[in-house]
Amino acid sequence: NVESSIPEPQRDAWKKHTKKGFTTKDEFEDETVRHIETTLARSLFNCDELAAYSGTALAFRDRLIVEWNKTQQRQTFADQKRVYYLSLEFLMGRALDNAMLNVGLKDVAKDGLKDLGFRIEDVISQEHDAALGNGGLGRLAACFLDSLATMNYPAWGYALRYRYGIFKQQIIDGYQVEIPDYWLDFNPWEFPRHDVTVEIQFYGWVRKYQGENGKTKASWEGGEIVEAVAYDAPIPGYKTATTNNLRLWSSKAASGEFDFQKFNNGEYESSVGDQQRAETISAVLYPNDNLDRGKELRLKQQYFWCAASLYDIVRRFKKSEKAWSAFPDMVAIQLNDTHPTLAIVELQRILIDIEALEWDEAWTIVTNTFGYTNHTVMPEALEKWSVPLMQNLLPRHLQIIYDINMNFLQMVERKFPKDREMLSRVSIIEESQPKMVRMAYLATIGSHKVNGVAELHSDLIRTTVFRDFVSIYGPDKFTNVTNGITPRRWLHQANPRLSELIASKLGGYEFLTDLTLLNKLEQFADDKEFKKEWQEIKYANKVRLAQHIGNTTGISVNPKALFDIQVKRIHEYKRQQLNILGVIHRYLTIKAMSPEERKKLAPRVSIFGGKAAPGYWMAKTVIHLVCSVGEVVNHDKDIGDLLKVIYIEDYNVSKAEIITPASDISEHISTAGTEASGTSNMKFVLNGGLIIGTCDGANIEITREIGESNIFLFGNLAEDVEDLRHAHTYGNSFTLDPDLSRVFTAIRSGTFGDAARFNALCNSIVDHGDYYLVSDDFSSYVKTQELVDEAYKDQEEWVAKCIQSVSRMGFFSSDRCIQEYADMIWNVEPLVPQ
Ligand code: PLP
């Protein structure tokens, strides 16, 4: 029992004064005004929308913290296994709207704010996105936190408290410009824990010494120390008191490190140098999505975060006074990609160097604790660290990695005695110049389960990157957990009217915690009244997006046109270039049409959005081409509403919440075999939009669930990619599709401005092997887009397809994923508050 550990008089005094958190409108106003007047030192006379937001957020934060405290006590006393989700990225977006909905007090806040003179929408939109991530991987982590709390799992997220999140994108003269995102100016959602600090060591050397019973022991010594300070953010579950924790580590100079000698000598500037160097560790999020750059500061970030998190986890475990062998019964750690792989090595180091366990005993604990989620098979994204770099920064860890590798290779040798090549193929150390540590192999060897994120992807990792490991460990170590999304944020919050309409038919909002209940909607796919309401909601969502486009770009788009949307990171493998080449083809085709033919066309708005990594020149060129095409098409009076091309600046989670509900069709058109899963594909379908896509990632399972007739699939299959690439490089009869050729001619003749700017992009497809197979899929893409045009004309049928699709999307809830992780990988039970 939580309470019985505290003597009665104190218990009663605490109980008497413990706030329960507001529930009525009056109490909400009370709390909000108190915060505005005292915490923020503002008054009725100078309270603007930002202050109203801050007061409201603080009122909600207080409420969450009360539940957070109780949840942590409950979980400590329950003494059961917890999950720790280690992710270098959490793309959380805004917190206030989500908190209001999850605790069920949005209406109370709406009425209360109205009394105080504010519209809730204006207040919500004051919040700065917490953009601690690049794209899908970070947003997945955020959806998982929502599901973990909603399903009452005792779970913590661990990440870094970057001072600068992903940069803000401005489009200036059709080019991406990056602006720093300093998001911490006022962040009411975090709690600094200045008492929770960990000293993190870097550099130095390893001292060997004789331990008890004559064994050689190792100790990591010298080097420098940086301090990690914890900042906590409460994560409320939906309709449950469970409020979990996201702990973010911030770096600062360790307390003894300030150089007072220098300071006293008047060398003020250099005396703060160490401090600044320490703070650099958690300063920035690396802005690369699916690309490994091997920079020392990034490795520092990874170790800093892993070491601080593990220290915290181990400290918590040690309080239970259980034997070390019980560690995997109390702790499950999930590695979101290879970024936290050093946690495996760090736990082994703690167990053997500090806790004095034998190697084998320690290694059994380690491997039973970790699970590893792979997110890519693309070579440029698979992390490797140079051995000399690691030797310098983490000398003891490198030794342990060599020992892990030696034990592993000996095991492989015993299993495959004659296969020398196998040894060099699977070694953690790549024998290159310089030698490299292959992090995906280390993560695989140090975990008890490895999972991919969609069926095709999990099959691909079993047959490509981890093929040898499947024969070494057997197939059971490798599994699949298809990604999912939280229906709370991505339906209920982003599309409240659709959520309400669905609830009205299903008799309540239970579908938000059991998304499979959506299947009861299918019976309404032919219901005229229902379809009409459905269409009205889609139209209203398109009007909202059209307003956003008008306000931000000055271009007026017709909400009655077909909205065709591709928003995601700009990457050659995601093939925004295929989309824009298709748009140019459409433009040229319309230009050549007679007025009669034009009358038959459904007007289209092609909408793009997404950030390019600042150093990814080709991706930036794609953005520039989209903007340049828009510049011409949008001002071509002869075209009018038939085609508009829009680039939405600074795509992020809060924009996604406006964009996703407004699509008629969205594009998920990666080169087959490259997109591990995708999650925006799920979000668009769940919001009543159809998708055009390749047979890649989760598109395949979406098709299985919603039916082939409800999706526009096109293009070559993953199994054909290798042969096609071979043919591009070595074949002798390559002819470009005439339609695509016409598109390139238009670009090269300057139709969209100075053609030189697009030379490299055109050449990459025409002359340089077309690695992403744009030319191979172009004609089937164009034909499939024509099918979209045709299908859109029959609105009755179109809406029926949308309704049927939504009704079959139950599988893609992140609650289902978390259930699978909990059962298959973590072996953890929920703890339901009484
Ligand atoms: N970026 C943001 C802001 C998102 O919200 C999402 C998913 O919704 C993604 C990226 C991932 O998109 P995709 O799955 O299309 O790569």
Side-chain angles (χ1 to χ4, degrees):
N1 176 305
V2 176
E3 288 184 357
S4 59
S5 65
I6 301 168
E8 221 164 84
Q10 288 95 315
R11 204 193 309 166
D12 291 344
W14 275 93
K15 263 187 158 171
K16 185 170 153 212
H17 296 289
T18 294
K19 288 259 183 301
K20 299 231 167 14
F22 65 85
T23 47
T24 66
K25 184 180 74 148
D26 222 38
E27 289 165 349
F28 164 74
E29 288 177 32
D30 223 40
E31 286 291 291
T32 304
V33 170
R34 180 175 68 78
H35 273 301
I36 293 171
E37 293 195 333
T38 57
T39 318
L40 305 167
R42 304 287 281 264
S43 72
L44 174 62
F45 302 102
N46 66 355
C47 179
D48 54 11
E49 279 163 357
L50 182 61
Y53 157 71
S54 307
T56 308
L58 288 167
F60 271 91
R61 183 191 69 172
D62 284 355
R63 206 181 180 287
L64 296 191
I65 284 300
V66 173
E67 294 304 340
W68 185 95
N69 275 328
K70 288 190 202 154
T71 304
Q72 298 316 314
Q73 282 166 17
R74 198 163 49 240
Q75 293 179 357
T76 302
F77 279 87
D79 198 27
Q80 69 180 65
K81 190 168 185 176
R82 295 190 207 216
V83 177
Y84 297 101
Y85 198 76
L86 266 59
S87 179
L88 208 39
E89 302 186 7
F90 281 90
L91 196 46
M92 301 297 286
R94 290 178 177 153
L96 177 59
D97 200 1
N98 186 248
M100 288 173 167
L101 288 167
N102 277 16
V103 301
L105 290 170
K106 188 166 178 181
D107 287 340
V108 166
K110 185 178 174 183
D111 295 345
L113 283 167
K114 195 166 163 223
D115 285 353
L116 300 176
F118 296 95
R119 269 172 23 113
I120 193 168
E121 297 79 21
D122 301 334
V123 169
I124 287 170
S125 68
Q126 293 298 312
E127 185 171 353
H128 204 110
D129 273 36
L132 307 184
N134 278 287
L137 173 142
R139 186 51 233 177
L140 181 77
C143 283
F144 280 5
L145 289 184
D146 185 75
S147 285
L148 283 161
T150 299
M151 299 167 82
N152 300 301
Y153 282 106
W156 285 47
Y158 277 108
L160 284 180
R161 180 179 178 267
Y162 303 108
R163 204 172 334 131
Y164 297 93
I166 186 75
F167 63 87
K168 281 176 180 294
Q169 178 195 56
Q170 283 186 0
I171 303 291
I172 298 179
D173 296 334
Y175 288 98
Q176 167 175 300
V177 175
E178 299 95 21
I179 311 287
D181 171 41
Y182 186 73
W183 68 294
L184 289 171
D185 248 354
F186 176 74
N187 177 9
W189 301 104
E190 64 173 12
F191 265 84
R193 301 279 187 192
H194 294 295
D195 54 330
V196 182
T197 60
V198 187
E199 293 199 334
I200 309 295
Q201 186 178 2
F202 293 106
Y203 307 106
W205 60 87
V206 180
R207 181 173 65 86
K208 298 267 176 183
Y209 65 98
Q210 292 279 309
E212 284 167 28
N213 58 32
K215 290 216 165 126
T216 307
K217 302 280 298 173
S219 160
W220 180 20
E221 299 183 350
E224 63 179 44
I225 301 288
V226 177
E227 200 164 274
V229 184
Y231 286 73
D232 289 344
I235 308 292
Y238 174 74
K239 285 201 175 161
T240 170
T242 300
T243 304
N244 281 336
N245 196 24
L246 171 60
R247 177 157 283 181
L248 306 177
W249 296 106
S250 183
S251 61
K252 65 175 222 193
S255 11
E257 299 279 300
F258 188 81
D259 195 334
F260 282 101
Q261 196 60 46
K262 276 188 188 165
F263 191 78
N264 286 338
N265 291 341
E267 297 170 45
Y268 299 128
E269 283 176 17
S270 69
S271 71
V272 293
D274 287 342
Q275 196 168 339
Q276 282 166 352
R277 227 156 52 86
E279 286 173 10
T280 302
I281 294 176
S282 61
V284 288
L285 164 77
Y286 276 88
N288 298 313
D289 189 62
N290 271 307
L291 180 75
D292 170 42
R293 291 295 283 270
K295 290 270 200 289
E296 176 174 285
L297 182 61
R298 168 85 166 182
L299 187 61
K300 262 189 151 170
Q301 288 189 331
Q302 293 186 352
Y303 178 65
F304 173 82
W305 152 61
C306 288
S309 308
L310 262 187
Y311 184 90
D312 215 36
I313 293 166
V314 166
R315 175 169 58 189
R316 202 165 297 125
F317 171 76
K318 284 174 87 166
K319 276 201 282 188
S320 75
E321 297 182 358
K322 291 188 163 61
W324 279 109
S325 57
F327 192 80
D329 302 327
M330 299 301 290
V331 174
I333 304 179
Q334 192 65 26
L335 308 176
N336 195 24
D337 211 332
T338 52
H339 316 144
T341 302
L342 283 170
I344 289 172
V345 191
E346 176 70 357
L347 182 57
Q348 181 72 1
R349 186 184 74 86
I350 292 171
L351 294 178
I352 59 174
D353 288 0
I354 300 169
E355 303 295 339
L357 268 64
E358 294 295 328
W359 177 279
D360 288 346
E361 188 190 358
W363 187 243
T364 304
I365 292 169
V366 169
T367 51
N368 286 329
T369 299
F370 286 95
Y372 155 50
T373 305
N374 173 283
H375 282 270
T376 182
V377 294
M378 292 192 298
E380 68 271 28
L382 288 173
E383 265 194 308
K384 289 177 192 172
W385 287 105
S386 113
V387 165
L389 190 108
M390 200 168 299
Q391 164 72 48
N392 186 40
L393 189 70
L394 302 167
R396 178 61 183 141
H397 293 78
L398 186 66
Q399 286 180 349
I400 293 174
I401 290 171
Y402 269 98
D403 287 347
I404 293 170
N405 198 33
M406 185 184 69
N407 285 319
F408 169 67
L409 292 179
Q410 283 172 353
M411 182 270 279
V412 176
E413 168 86 33
R414 284 194 296 276
K415 217 165 172 174
F416 302 92
K418 299 215 168 63
D419 197 345
R420 279 292 154 111
E421 283 193 358
M422 163 87 97
L423 293 182
S424 77
R425 281 202 310 271
V426 301
S427 172
I428 296 172
I429 307 298
E430 179 182 276
E431 296 295 328
S432 46
Q433 200 49 263
K435 291 183 179 166
M436 304 293 277
V437 182
R438 297 156 159 164
M439 301 306 268
Y441 291 4
L442 178 54
T444 300
I445 293 163
S447 301
H448 66 285
K449 279 277 186 209
V450 177
N451 74 286
V453 290
E455 270 173 22
L456 173 72
H457 169 64
S458 298
D459 286 346
L460 278 175
I461 64 177
R462 277 186 283 248
T463 51
T464 60
V465 272
F466 300 135
R467 205 175 103 168
D468 290 320
F469 292 87
V470 173
S471 43
I472 294 163
Y473 289 109
D476 292 350
K477 178 160 175 159
F478 298 85
T479 184
N480 172 59
V481 183
T482 299
N483 283 167
I485 57 174
T486 166
R488 272 78 63 183
R489 184 179 290 263
W490 294 109
L491 179 54
H492 192 48
Q493 182 183 326
N495 203 342
R497 281 187 61 189
L498 189 63
S499 184
E500 196 183 337
L501 176 65
I502 294 171
S504 74
K505 288 292 171 197
L506 302 189
Y509 284 98
E510 280 71 28
F511 65 95
L512 291 175
T513 42
D514 177 2
L515 204 61
T516 60
L517 294 174
L518 285 179
N519 62 13
K520 300 211 177 79
L521 267 190
E522 187 144 2
Q523 57 186 302
F524 302 103
D526 294 319
D527 177 328
K528 278 218 156 18
E529 195 49 38
F530 180 68
K531 283 166 88 173
K532 198 163 144 268
E533 286 180 63
W534 186 281
Q535 270 173 306
E536 277 168 15
I537 291 168
K538 178 59 79 180
Y539 184 71
N541 289 331
K542 288 168 71 177
V543 168
R544 181 168 70 148
L545 179 57
Q547 276 163 355
H548 174 81
I549 290 171
N551 292 341
T552 51
T553 66
I555 299 163
S556 144
V557 299
N558 177 3
K560 295 211 169 88
L562 189 163
F563 278 20
D564 172 344
I565 303 181
Q566 188 178 19
V567 283
K568 48 185 81 223
R569 284 302 288 250
I570 309 299
H571 219 301
E572 284 166 286
Y573 85 82
K574 290 175 182 275
R575 297 201 296 193
Q576 283 90 356
Q577 68 276 41
L578 175 58
N579 184 346
I580 191 62
L581 295 172
V583 169
I584 297 173
H585 168 73
R586 178 175 289 268
Y587 175 61
L588 299 176
T589 307
I590 299 173
K591 290 293 279 180
M593 276 179 172
S594 67
E596 283 68 39
E597 284 174 309
R598 289 183 183 195
K599 273 194 199 125
K600 290 186 211 144
L601 269 186
R604 214 183 249 246
V605 184
S606 276
I607 298 166
F608 294 76
K611 295 174 186 177
Y616 191 171
W617 190 80
M618 192 64 95
K620 288 181 145 178
T621 304
V622 172
I623 295 178
H624 188 54
L625 180 59
V626 174
C627 295
S628 303
V629 172
E631 206 36 47
V632 172
V633 173
N634 300 339
H635 296 104
D636 187 337
K637 294 215 165 56
D638 175 43
I639 293 291
D641 267 359
L642 283 179
L643 183 60
K644 287 274 183 282
V645 182
I646 302 295
Y647 206 94
I648 295 182
E649 201 175 59
D650 200 40
Y651 178 58
N652 60 14
V653 173
S654 53
K655 300 257 169 70
E657 288 164 16
I658 300 172
I659 295 167
T660 316
S663 82
D664 292 305
I665 194 102
S666 65
E667 309 218 10
H668 310 275
I669 57 177
S670 47
T671 311
T674 61
E675 185 72 276
S677 161
T679 48
S680 79
N681 42 5
M682 303 166 190
K683 293 169 191 173
F684 279 105
V685 180
L686 186 61
N687 280 279
L690 299 183
I691 64 180
I692 178 166
T694 44
C695 296
D696 202 19
N699 289 353
I700 295 172
E701 287 147 272
I702 293 176
T703 309
R704 184 187 69 201
E705 294 293 312
I706 69 176
E708 265 180 54
S709 56
N710 290 328
I711 187 167
F712 297 93
L713 285 180
F714 72 95
N716 285 284
L717 303 180
E719 64 212 49
D720 302 323
V721 164
E722 206 181 313
D723 287 347
L724 288 167
R725 282 187 177 149
H726 186 89
H728 275 287
T729 312
Y730 301 106
N732 46 18
S733 63
F734 177 66
T735 49
L736 210 55
D737 175 275
D739 286 336
L740 183 56
S741 191
R742 184 176 63 147
V743 168
F744 284 130
T745 306
I747 298 173
R748 290 194 200 270
S749 66
T751 308
F752 307 106
D754 182 5
R757 293 168 300 174
F758 309 119
N759 262 344
L761 197 161
C762 299
N763 290 346
S764 74
I765 297 166
V766 181
D767 301 324
H768 298 153
D770 192 10
Y771 189 74
Y772 298 98
L773 308 183
V774 172
S775 60
D776 300 271
D777 282 351
F778 185 78
S779 77
S780 64
Y781 174 66
V782 166
K783 284 197 189 89
T784 309
Q785 282 286 18
E786 285 164 10
L787 296 179
V788 172
D789 287 322
E790 269 316 295
Y792 194 67
K793 285 181 193 160
D794 185 349
Q795 274 295 300
E796 279 299 311
E797 183 59 25
W798 182 278
V799 178
K801 280 175 186 292
C802 295
I803 295 170
Q804 197 169 61
S805 301
V806 172
S807 76
R808 297 173 180 178
M809 284 297 286
F811 179 75
F812 298 100
S813 168
S814 47
D815 298 345
R816 186 266 314 149
C817 294
I818 289 302
Q819 190 71 58
E820 288 180 12
Y821 278 101
D823 295 345
M824 286 194 313
I825 300 176
W826 303 330
N827 190 23
V828 62
E829 297 292 329
L831 176 63
V832 182
Q834 297 308 320

